[in-house]
PDB file of all heavy atoms in Angstrom:
ATOM      1  N   PHE B  87     -16.655 -40.177  35.379  1.00 93.00           N
ATOM      2  CA  PHE B  87     -17.313 -39.029  35.993  1.00 93.00           C
ATOM      3  C   PHE B  87     -17.216 -39.091  37.507  1.00 93.00           C
ATOM      4  O   PHE B  87     -17.121 -40.161  38.096  1.00 93.00           O
ATOM      5  CB  PHE B  87     -18.782 -38.976  35.558  1.00 93.00           C
ATOM      6  CG  PHE B  87     -18.963 -38.632  34.102  1.00 93.00           C
ATOM      7  CD1 PHE B  87     -18.728 -39.563  33.104  1.00 93.00           C
ATOM      8  CD2 PHE B  87     -19.354 -37.354  33.732  1.00 93.00           C
ATOM      9  CE1 PHE B  87     -18.883 -39.248  31.774  1.00 93.00           C
ATOM     10  CE2 PHE B  87     -19.518 -37.021  32.398  1.00 93.00           C
ATOM     11  CZ  PHE B  87     -19.283 -37.965  31.412  1.00 93.00           C
ATOM     12  N   MET B  89     -17.279 -36.029  41.183  1.00 95.00           N
ATOM     13  CA  MET B  89     -16.997 -34.688  41.666  1.00 95.00           C
ATOM     14  C   MET B  89     -15.494 -34.428  41.633  1.00 95.00           C
ATOM     15  O   MET B  89     -14.696 -35.288  42.008  1.00 95.00           O
ATOM     16  CB  MET B  89     -17.523 -34.508  43.087  1.00 95.00           C
ATOM     17  CG  MET B  89     -19.049 -34.561  43.207  1.00 95.00           C
ATOM     18  SD  MET B  89     -19.841 -33.201  42.323  1.00 95.00           S
ATOM     19  CE  MET B  89     -21.582 -33.549  42.698  1.00 95.00           C
ATOM     20  N   LEU B 140     -20.188 -30.649  32.048  1.00 91.00           N
ATOM     21  CA  LEU B 140     -21.225 -31.000  33.012  1.00 91.00           C
ATOM     22  C   LEU B 140     -20.648 -31.071  34.416  1.00 91.00           C
ATOM     23  O   LEU B 140     -19.468 -31.409  34.589  1.00 91.00           O
ATOM     24  CB  LEU B 140     -21.824 -32.370  32.667  1.00 91.00           C
ATOM     25  CG  LEU B 140     -22.438 -32.544  31.286  1.00 91.00           C
ATOM     26  CD1 LEU B 140     -22.898 -33.981  31.124  1.00 91.00           C
ATOM     27  CD2 LEU B 140     -23.579 -31.573  31.069  1.00 91.00           C
ATOM     28  N   PRO B 141     -21.466 -30.795  35.445  1.00 93.00           N
ATOM     29  CA  PRO B 141     -21.015 -31.105  36.798  1.00 93.00           C
ATOM     30  C   PRO B 141     -20.725 -32.597  36.886  1.00 93.00           C
ATOM     31  O   PRO B 141     -21.416 -33.410  36.278  1.00 93.00           O
ATOM     32  CB  PRO B 141     -22.210 -30.701  37.672  1.00 93.00           C
ATOM     33  CG  PRO B 141     -23.381 -30.629  36.758  1.00 93.00           C
ATOM     34  CD  PRO B 141     -22.850 -30.270  35.414  1.00 93.00           C
ATOM     35  N   MET B 142     -19.697 -32.942  37.565  1.00 92.00           N
ATOM     36  CA  MET B 142     -19.177 -34.309  37.685  1.00 92.00           C
ATOM     37  C   MET B 142     -18.408 -34.758  36.450  1.00 92.00           C
ATOM     38  O   MET B 142     -17.866 -35.851  36.417  1.00 92.00           O
ATOM     39  CB  MET B 142     -20.282 -35.330  38.005  1.00 92.00           C
ATOM     40  CG  MET B 142     -20.787 -35.194  39.424  1.00 92.00           C
ATOM     41  SD  MET B 142     -21.862 -36.548  39.955  1.00 92.00           S
ATOM     42  CE  MET B 142     -20.784 -37.957  39.751  1.00 92.00           C
ATOM     43  N   LEU B 184     -22.059 -45.306  28.560  1.00 81.00           N
ATOM     44  CA  LEU B 184     -22.797 -45.029  29.795  1.00 81.00           C
ATOM     45  C   LEU B 184     -22.412 -46.009  30.898  1.00 81.00           C
ATOM     46  O   LEU B 184     -22.146 -45.607  32.040  1.00 81.00           O
ATOM     47  CB  LEU B 184     -24.298 -45.084  29.537  1.00 81.00           C
ATOM     48  CG  LEU B 184     -25.196 -44.925  30.772  1.00 81.00           C
ATOM     49  CD1 LEU B 184     -25.004 -43.564  31.412  1.00 81.00           C
ATOM     50  CD2 LEU B 184     -26.664 -45.144  30.394  1.00 81.00           C
ATOM     51  N   LEU B 188     -20.615 -44.884  34.449  1.00 86.00           N
ATOM     52  CA  LEU B 188     -21.227 -45.084  35.761  1.00 86.00           C
ATOM     53  C   LEU B 188     -20.370 -45.988  36.646  1.00 86.00           C
ATOM     54  O   LEU B 188     -20.380 -45.853  37.873  1.00 86.00           O
ATOM     55  CB  LEU B 188     -22.630 -45.668  35.602  1.00 86.00           C
ATOM     56  CG  LEU B 188     -23.653 -44.728  34.947  1.00 86.00           C
ATOM     57  CD1 LEU B 188     -25.006 -45.400  34.836  1.00 86.00           C
ATOM     58  CD2 LEU B 188     -23.766 -43.411  35.709  1.00 86.00           C
ATOM     59  N   VAL B 191     -18.057 -43.634  38.282  1.00 90.00           N
ATOM     60  CA  VAL B 191     -18.771 -42.878  39.321  1.00 90.00           C
ATOM     61  C   VAL B 191     -18.871 -43.702  40.598  1.00 90.00           C
ATOM     62  O   VAL B 191     -18.598 -43.207  41.705  1.00 90.00           O
ATOM     63  CB  VAL B 191     -20.185 -42.470  38.853  1.00 90.00           C
ATOM     64  CG1 VAL B 191     -20.982 -41.858  40.006  1.00 90.00           C
ATOM     65  CG2 VAL B 191     -20.099 -41.480  37.700  1.00 90.00           C
ATOM     66  N   ASP B 192     -19.258 -44.957  40.459  1.00 90.00           N
ATOM     67  CA  ASP B 192     -19.459 -45.811  41.627  1.00 90.00           C
ATOM     68  C   ASP B 192     -18.147 -46.180  42.320  1.00 90.00           C
ATOM     69  O   ASP B 192     -18.155 -46.592  43.481  1.00 90.00           O
ATOM     70  CB  ASP B 192     -20.200 -47.087  41.218  1.00 90.00           C
ATOM     71  CG  ASP B 192     -21.661 -46.812  40.869  1.00 90.00           C
ATOM     72  OD1 ASP B 192     -22.205 -45.803  41.342  1.00 90.00           O
ATOM     73  OD2 ASP B 192     -22.253 -47.608  40.099  1.00 90.00           O
ATOM     74  N   HIS B 196     -16.957 -40.537  47.188  1.00 93.00           N
ATOM     75  CA  HIS B 196     -17.489 -39.192  47.340  1.00 93.00           C
ATOM     76  C   HIS B 196     -17.798 -38.877  48.811  1.00 93.00           C
ATOM     77  O   HIS B 196     -18.288 -39.732  49.546  1.00 93.00           O
ATOM     78  CB  HIS B 196     -18.771 -39.022  46.521  1.00 93.00           C
ATOM     79  CG  HIS B 196     -18.546 -38.956  45.046  1.00 93.00           C
ATOM     80  ND1 HIS B 196     -18.770 -40.018  44.209  1.00 93.00           N
ATOM     81  CD2 HIS B 196     -18.113 -37.939  44.255  1.00 93.00           C
ATOM     82  CE1 HIS B 196     -18.494 -39.675  42.960  1.00 93.00           C
ATOM     83  NE2 HIS B 196     -18.093 -38.426  42.963  1.00 93.00           N
ATOM     84  N   ALA B 198     -19.894 -37.400  51.860  1.00 94.00           N
ATOM     85  CA  ALA B 198     -21.337 -37.462  52.105  1.00 94.00           C
ATOM     86  C   ALA B 198     -22.060 -36.197  51.659  1.00 94.00           C
ATOM     87  O   ALA B 198     -23.222 -36.248  51.235  1.00 94.00           O
ATOM     88  CB  ALA B 198     -21.602 -37.707  53.593  1.00 94.00           C
ATOM     89  N   ASP B 199     -21.380 -35.049  51.725  1.00 94.00           N
ATOM     90  CA  ASP B 199     -22.000 -33.795  51.304  1.00 94.00           C
ATOM     91  C   ASP B 199     -22.430 -33.820  49.843  1.00 94.00           C
ATOM     92  O   ASP B 199     -23.337 -33.078  49.446  1.00 94.00           O
ATOM     93  CB  ASP B 199     -21.041 -32.621  51.508  1.00 94.00           C
ATOM     94  CG  ASP B 199     -20.834 -32.284  52.975  1.00 94.00           C
ATOM     95  OD1 ASP B 199     -21.594 -32.813  53.821  1.00 94.00           O
ATOM     96  OD2 ASP B 199     -19.916 -31.499  53.277  1.00 94.00           O
ATOM     97  N   TYR B 200     -21.756 -34.661  49.052  1.00 94.00           N
ATOM     98  CA  TYR B 200     -22.027 -34.689  47.615  1.00 94.00           C
ATOM     99  C   TYR B 200     -23.039 -35.757  47.207  1.00 94.00           C
ATOM    100  O   TYR B 200     -23.513 -35.762  46.070  1.00 94.00           O
ATOM    101  CB  TYR B 200     -20.733 -34.968  46.836  1.00 94.00           C
ATOM    102  CG  TYR B 200     -19.762 -33.819  46.776  1.00 94.00           C
ATOM    103  CD1 TYR B 200     -18.459 -33.969  47.258  1.00 94.00           C
ATOM    104  CD2 TYR B 200     -20.117 -32.600  46.213  1.00 94.00           C
ATOM    105  CE1 TYR B 200     -17.546 -32.929  47.195  1.00 94.00           C
ATOM    106  CE2 TYR B 200     -19.207 -31.556  46.126  1.00 94.00           C
ATOM    107  CZ  TYR B 200     -17.927 -31.727  46.621  1.00 94.00           C
ATOM    108  OH  TYR B 200     -17.024 -30.698  46.543  1.00 94.00           O
ATOM    109  N   MET B 201     -23.363 -36.684  48.085  1.00 94.00           N
ATOM    110  CA  MET B 201     -24.040 -37.893  47.640  1.00 94.00           C
ATOM    111  C   MET B 201     -25.412 -37.644  47.009  1.00 94.00           C
ATOM    112  O   MET B 201     -25.794 -38.325  46.064  1.00 94.00           O
ATOM    113  CB  MET B 201     -24.167 -38.887  48.795  1.00 94.00           C
ATOM    114  CG  MET B 201     -22.841 -39.561  49.149  1.00 94.00           C
ATOM    115  SD  MET B 201     -21.922 -40.217  47.708  1.00 94.00           S
ATOM    116  CE  MET B 201     -23.103 -41.393  47.043  1.00 94.00           C
ATOM    117  N   SER B 202     -26.170 -36.683  47.504  1.00 92.00           N
ATOM    118  CA  SER B 202     -27.476 -36.424  46.896  1.00 92.00           C
ATOM    119  C   SER B 202     -27.307 -35.940  45.460  1.00 92.00           C
ATOM    120  O   SER B 202     -28.087 -36.312  44.573  1.00 92.00           O
ATOM    121  CB  SER B 202     -28.258 -35.391  47.713  1.00 92.00           C
ATOM    122  OG  SER B 202     -27.589 -34.142  47.746  1.00 92.00           O
ATOM    123  N   LYS B 203     -26.282 -35.141  45.221  1.00 91.00           N
ATOM    124  CA  LYS B 203     -26.013 -34.662  43.870  1.00 91.00           C
ATOM    125  C   LYS B 203     -25.491 -35.788  42.968  1.00 91.00           C
ATOM    126  O   LYS B 203     -25.826 -35.860  41.790  1.00 91.00           O
ATOM    127  CB  LYS B 203     -25.002 -33.506  43.902  1.00 91.00           C
ATOM    128  CG  LYS B 203     -25.521 -32.235  44.556  1.00 91.00           C
ATOM    129  CD  LYS B 203     -24.464 -31.144  44.549  1.00 91.00           C
ATOM    130  CE  LYS B 203     -24.976 -29.865  45.210  1.00 91.00           C
ATOM    131  NZ  LYS B 203     -26.068 -29.256  44.431  1.00 91.00           N
ATOM    132  N   VAL B 204     -24.687 -36.653  43.537  1.00 92.00           N
ATOM    133  CA  VAL B 204     -24.171 -37.789  42.766  1.00 92.00           C
ATOM    134  C   VAL B 204     -25.315 -38.687  42.299  1.00 92.00           C
ATOM    135  O   VAL B 204     -25.381 -39.084  41.122  1.00 92.00           O
ATOM    136  CB  VAL B 204     -23.160 -38.601  43.603  1.00 92.00           C
ATOM    137  CG1 VAL B 204     -22.799 -39.911  42.893  1.00 92.00           C
ATOM    138  CG2 VAL B 204     -21.903 -37.782  43.872  1.00 92.00           C
ATOM    139  N   GLU B 205     -26.233 -39.003  43.207  1.00 92.00           N
ATOM    140  CA  GLU B 205     -27.360 -39.862  42.846  1.00 92.00           C
ATOM    141  C   GLU B 205     -28.267 -39.190  41.824  1.00 92.00           C
ATOM    142  O   GLU B 205     -28.768 -39.832  40.898  1.00 92.00           O
ATOM    143  CB  GLU B 205     -28.143 -40.255  44.096  1.00 92.00           C
ATOM    144  CG  GLU B 205     -27.374 -41.146  45.049  1.00 92.00           C
ATOM    145  CD  GLU B 205     -26.863 -42.416  44.374  1.00 92.00           C
ATOM    146  OE1 GLU B 205     -27.615 -43.010  43.565  1.00 92.00           O
ATOM    147  OE2 GLU B 205     -25.713 -42.810  44.648  1.00 92.00           O
ATOM    148  N   ALA B 206     -28.464 -37.865  41.984  1.00 91.00           N
ATOM    149  CA  ALA B 206     -29.281 -37.130  41.018  1.00 91.00           C
ATOM    150  C   ALA B 206     -28.624 -37.144  39.650  1.00 91.00           C
ATOM    151  O   ALA B 206     -29.297 -37.314  38.620  1.00 91.00           O
ATOM    152  CB  ALA B 206     -29.489 -35.685  41.492  1.00 91.00           C
ATOM    153  N   PHE B 207     -27.311 -36.973  39.620  1.00 88.00           N
ATOM    154  CA  PHE B 207     -26.587 -37.017  38.357  1.00 88.00           C
ATOM    155  C   PHE B 207     -26.747 -38.371  37.681  1.00 88.00           C
ATOM    156  O   PHE B 207     -27.022 -38.449  36.481  1.00 88.00           O
ATOM    157  CB  PHE B 207     -25.103 -36.724  38.588  1.00 88.00           C
ATOM    158  CG  PHE B 207     -24.249 -36.948  37.366  1.00 88.00           C
ATOM    159  CD1 PHE B 207     -24.088 -35.949  36.427  1.00 88.00           C
ATOM    160  CD2 PHE B 207     -23.614 -38.169  37.162  1.00 88.00           C
ATOM    161  CE1 PHE B 207     -23.307 -36.158  35.295  1.00 88.00           C
ATOM    162  CE2 PHE B 207     -22.829 -38.393  36.038  1.00 88.00           C
ATOM    163  CZ  PHE B 207     -22.672 -37.378  35.101  1.00 88.00           C
ATOM    164  N   LYS B 208     -26.540 -39.437  38.428  1.00 90.00           N
ATOM    165  CA  LYS B 208     -26.632 -40.775  37.848  1.00 90.00           C
ATOM    166  C   LYS B 208     -28.008 -41.011  37.230  1.00 90.00           C
ATOM    167  O   LYS B 208     -28.124 -41.560  36.126  1.00 90.00           O
ATOM    168  CB  LYS B 208     -26.340 -41.838  38.909  1.00 90.00           C
ATOM    169  CG  LYS B 208     -24.882 -41.885  39.325  1.00 90.00           C
ATOM    170  CD  LYS B 208     -24.671 -42.713  40.586  1.00 90.00           C
ATOM    171  CE  LYS B 208     -25.097 -44.139  40.418  1.00 90.00           C
ATOM    172  NZ  LYS B 208     -24.805 -44.957  41.627  1.00 90.00           N
ATOM    173  N   THR B 209     -29.052 -40.583  37.923  1.00 90.00           N
ATOM    174  CA  THR B 209     -30.417 -40.762  37.409  1.00 90.00           C
ATOM    175  C   THR B 209     -30.637 -39.951  36.147  1.00 90.00           C
ATOM    176  O   THR B 209     -31.131 -40.469  35.134  1.00 90.00           O
ATOM    177  CB  THR B 209     -31.438 -40.337  38.475  1.00 90.00           C
ATOM    178  OG1 THR B 209     -31.279 -41.169  39.630  1.00 90.00           O
ATOM    179  CG2 THR B 209     -32.858 -40.474  37.946  1.00 90.00           C
ATOM    180  N   SER B 210     -30.272 -38.671  36.178  1.00 88.00           N
ATOM    181  CA  SER B 210     -30.499 -37.798  35.027  1.00 88.00           C
ATOM    182  C   SER B 210     -29.620 -38.184  33.850  1.00 88.00           C
ATOM    183  O   SER B 210     -30.068 -38.180  32.700  1.00 88.00           O
ATOM    184  CB  SER B 210     -30.228 -36.336  35.411  1.00 88.00           C
ATOM    185  OG  SER B 210     -31.102 -35.915  36.420  1.00 88.00           O
ATOM    186  N   PHE B 211     -28.377 -38.525  34.131  1.00 85.00           N
ATOM    187  CA  PHE B 211     -27.446 -38.911  33.069  1.00 85.00           C
ATOM    188  C   PHE B 211     -27.932 -40.176  32.372  1.00 85.00           C
ATOM    189  O   PHE B 211     -27.934 -40.254  31.134  1.00 85.00           O
ATOM    190  CB  PHE B 211     -26.064 -39.126  33.680  1.00 85.00           C
ATOM    191  CG  PHE B 211     -24.944 -39.152  32.682  1.00 85.00           C
ATOM    192  CD1 PHE B 211     -24.682 -38.051  31.887  1.00 85.00           C
ATOM    193  CD2 PHE B 211     -24.137 -40.274  32.567  1.00 85.00           C
ATOM    194  CE1 PHE B 211     -23.629 -38.062  30.984  1.00 85.00           C
ATOM    195  CE2 PHE B 211     -23.084 -40.297  31.659  1.00 85.00           C
ATOM    196  CZ  PHE B 211     -22.827 -39.193  30.868  1.00 85.00           C
ATOM    197  N   SER B 212     -28.368 -41.148  33.138  1.00 87.00           N
ATOM    198  CA  SER B 212     -28.886 -42.394  32.562  1.00 87.00           C
ATOM    199  C   SER B 212     -30.141 -42.139  31.752  1.00 87.00           C
ATOM    200  O   SER B 212     -30.323 -42.705  30.662  1.00 87.00           O
ATOM    201  CB  SER B 212     -29.175 -43.409  33.670  1.00 87.00           C
ATOM    202  OG  SER B 212     -28.016 -43.738  34.397  1.00 87.00           O
ATOM    203  N   ARG B 213     -31.016 -41.278  32.264  1.00 85.00           N
ATOM    204  CA  ARG B 213     -32.250 -40.965  31.555  1.00 85.00           C
ATOM    205  C   ARG B 213     -31.956 -40.325  30.190  1.00 85.00           C
ATOM    206  O   ARG B 213     -32.661 -40.553  29.217  1.00 85.00           O
ATOM    207  CB  ARG B 213     -33.122 -40.041  32.399  1.00 85.00           C
ATOM    208  CG  ARG B 213     -34.525 -39.811  31.830  1.00 85.00           C
ATOM    209  CD  ARG B 213     -35.330 -38.880  32.723  1.00 85.00           C
ATOM    210  NE  ARG B 213     -35.507 -39.459  34.059  1.00 85.00           N
ATOM    211  CZ  ARG B 213     -35.175 -38.849  35.179  1.00 85.00           C
ATOM    212  NH1 ARG B 213     -34.631 -37.633  35.144  1.00 85.00           N
ATOM    213  NH2 ARG B 213     -35.364 -39.427  36.344  1.00 85.00           N
ATOM    214  N   GLY B 214     -30.900 -39.526  30.141  1.00 81.00           N
ATOM    215  CA  GLY B 214     -30.539 -38.867  28.893  1.00 81.00           C
ATOM    216  C   GLY B 214     -30.149 -39.836  27.787  1.00 81.00           C
ATOM    217  O   GLY B 214     -30.177 -39.478  26.602  1.00 81.00           O
ATOM    218  N   ILE B 265     -28.142 -26.298  32.905  1.00 90.00           N
ATOM    219  CA  ILE B 265     -27.365 -27.533  33.055  1.00 90.00           C
ATOM    220  C   ILE B 265     -27.629 -28.177  34.415  1.00 90.00           C
ATOM    221  O   ILE B 265     -27.841 -29.395  34.519  1.00 90.00           O
ATOM    222  CB  ILE B 265     -25.853 -27.260  32.878  1.00 90.00           C
ATOM    223  CG1 ILE B 265     -25.538 -26.940  31.415  1.00 90.00           C
ATOM    224  CG2 ILE B 265     -25.027 -28.450  33.344  1.00 90.00           C
ATOM    225  CD1 ILE B 265     -25.784 -28.092  30.452  1.00 90.00           C
ATOM    226  N   LYS B 266     -27.649 -27.380  35.469  1.00 88.00           N
ATOM    227  CA  LYS B 266     -27.884 -27.941  36.807  1.00 88.00           C
ATOM    228  C   LYS B 266     -29.277 -28.561  36.905  1.00 88.00           C
ATOM    229  O   LYS B 266     -29.457 -29.620  37.507  1.00 88.00           O
ATOM    230  CB  LYS B 266     -27.703 -26.860  37.869  1.00 88.00           C
ATOM    231  CG  LYS B 266     -26.242 -26.466  38.110  1.00 88.00           C
ATOM    232  CD  LYS B 266     -26.110 -25.483  39.259  1.00 88.00           C
ATOM    233  CE  LYS B 266     -26.410 -26.139  40.577  1.00 88.00           C
ATOM    234  NZ  LYS B 266     -26.238 -25.225  41.724  1.00 88.00           N
ATOM    235  N   ARG B 267     -30.246 -27.911  36.298  1.00 86.00           N
ATOM    236  CA  ARG B 267     -31.606 -28.478  36.301  1.00 86.00           C
ATOM    237  C   ARG B 267     -31.657 -29.774  35.506  1.00 86.00           C
ATOM    238  O   ARG B 267     -32.279 -30.753  35.918  1.00 86.00           O
ATOM    239  CB  ARG B 267     -32.609 -27.477  35.727  1.00 86.00           C
ATOM    240  CG  ARG B 267     -32.944 -26.326  36.642  1.00 86.00           C
ATOM    241  CD  ARG B 267     -34.159 -25.580  36.167  1.00 86.00           C
ATOM    242  NE  ARG B 267     -35.357 -26.441  36.182  1.00 86.00           N
ATOM    243  CZ  ARG B 267     -36.547 -26.057  35.740  1.00 86.00           C
ATOM    244  NH1 ARG B 267     -36.714 -24.838  35.266  1.00 86.00           N
ATOM    245  NH2 ARG B 267     -37.572 -26.887  35.801  1.00 86.00           N
ATOM    246  N   ALA B 268     -30.986 -29.774  34.357  1.00 85.00           N
ATOM    247  CA  ALA B 268     -30.982 -30.975  33.519  1.00 85.00           C
ATOM    248  C   ALA B 268     -30.328 -32.156  34.237  1.00 85.00           C
ATOM    249  O   ALA B 268     -30.718 -33.302  34.041  1.00 85.00           O
ATOM    250  CB  ALA B 268     -30.245 -30.687  32.203  1.00 85.00           C
ATOM    251  N   MET B 269     -29.358 -31.852  35.086  1.00 82.00           N
ATOM    252  CA  MET B 269     -28.654 -32.887  35.837  1.00 82.00           C
ATOM    253  C   MET B 269     -29.297 -33.173  37.182  1.00 82.00           C
ATOM    254  O   MET B 269     -28.770 -33.948  37.982  1.00 82.00           O
ATOM    255  CB  MET B 269     -27.182 -32.502  36.032  1.00 82.00           C
ATOM    256  CG  MET B 269     -26.347 -32.476  34.760  1.00 82.00           C
ATOM    257  SD  MET B 269     -26.115 -34.131  34.040  1.00 82.00           S
ATOM    258  CE  MET B 269     -27.344 -34.132  32.743  1.00 82.00           C
ATOM    259  N   GLY B 270     -30.427 -32.517  37.466  1.00 79.00           N
ATOM    260  CA  GLY B 270     -31.138 -32.745  38.733  1.00 79.00           C
ATOM    261  C   GLY B 270     -30.411 -32.195  39.931  1.00 79.00           C
ATOM    262  O   GLY B 270     -30.629 -32.658  41.059  1.00 79.00           O
ATOM    263  N   MET B 271     -29.553 -31.192  39.738  1.00 78.00           N
ATOM    264  CA  MET B 271     -28.717 -30.698  40.822  1.00 78.00           C
ATOM    265  C   MET B 271     -29.104 -29.330  41.329  1.00 78.00           C
ATOM    266  O   MET B 271     -28.439 -28.785  42.210  1.00 78.00           O
ATOM    267  CB  MET B 271     -27.246 -30.658  40.373  1.00 78.00           C
ATOM    268  CG  MET B 271     -26.635 -32.021  40.136  1.00 78.00           C
ATOM    269  SD  MET B 271     -24.883 -31.880  39.790  1.00 78.00           S
ATOM    270  CE  MET B 271     -24.451 -33.608  39.603  1.00 78.00           C
ATOM    271  N   SER B 272     -30.122 -28.705  40.760  1.00 65.00           N
ATOM    272  CA  SER B 272     -30.521 -27.383  41.244  1.00 65.00           C
ATOM    273  C   SER B 272     -31.366 -27.520  42.505  1.00 65.00           C
ATOM    274  O   SER B 272     -32.121 -28.484  42.684  1.00 65.00           O
ATOM    275  CB  SER B 272     -31.303 -26.642  40.161  1.00 65.00           C
ATOM    276  OG  SER B 272     -32.474 -27.353  39.813  1.00 65.00           O
ATOM    277  N   ARG B 273     -31.260 -26.533  43.370  1.00 58.00           N
ATOM    278  CA  ARG B 273     -32.013 -26.566  44.624  1.00 58.00           C
ATOM    279  C   ARG B 273     -33.258 -25.698  44.491  1.00 58.00           C
ATOM    280  O   ARG B 273     -33.275 -24.741  43.766  1.00 58.00           O
ATOM    281  CB  ARG B 273     -31.158 -26.048  45.770  1.00 58.00           C
ATOM    282  CG  ARG B 273     -30.018 -27.019  46.102  1.00 58.00           C
ATOM    283  CD  ARG B 273     -29.293 -26.530  47.329  1.00 58.00           C
ATOM    284  NE  ARG B 273     -28.262 -27.487  47.734  1.00 58.00           N
ATOM    285  CZ  ARG B 273     -27.473 -27.321  48.793  1.00 58.00           C
ATOM    286  NH1 ARG B 273     -27.589 -26.239  49.534  1.00 58.00           N
ATOM    287  NH2 ARG B 273     -26.567 -28.221  49.093  1.00 58.00           N
TER     288      ARG B 273
END
Side-chain angles (χ1 to χ4, degrees):
F87 291 76
M89 294 296 181
L140 302 177
M142 288 191 59
L184 175 63
L188 293 180
V191 172
D192 289 337
H196 288 102
D199 289 349
Y200 287 122
M201 286 312 300
S202 62
K203 293 180 180 294
V204 171
E205 293 304 319
F207 172 86
K208 289 167 61 176
T209 299
S210 298
F211 196 61
S212 299
R213 188 180 298 125
I265 289 295
K266 287 185 70 178
R267 286 194 63 184
M269 293 292 100
M271 293 186 179
S272 61
R273 291 186 176 181

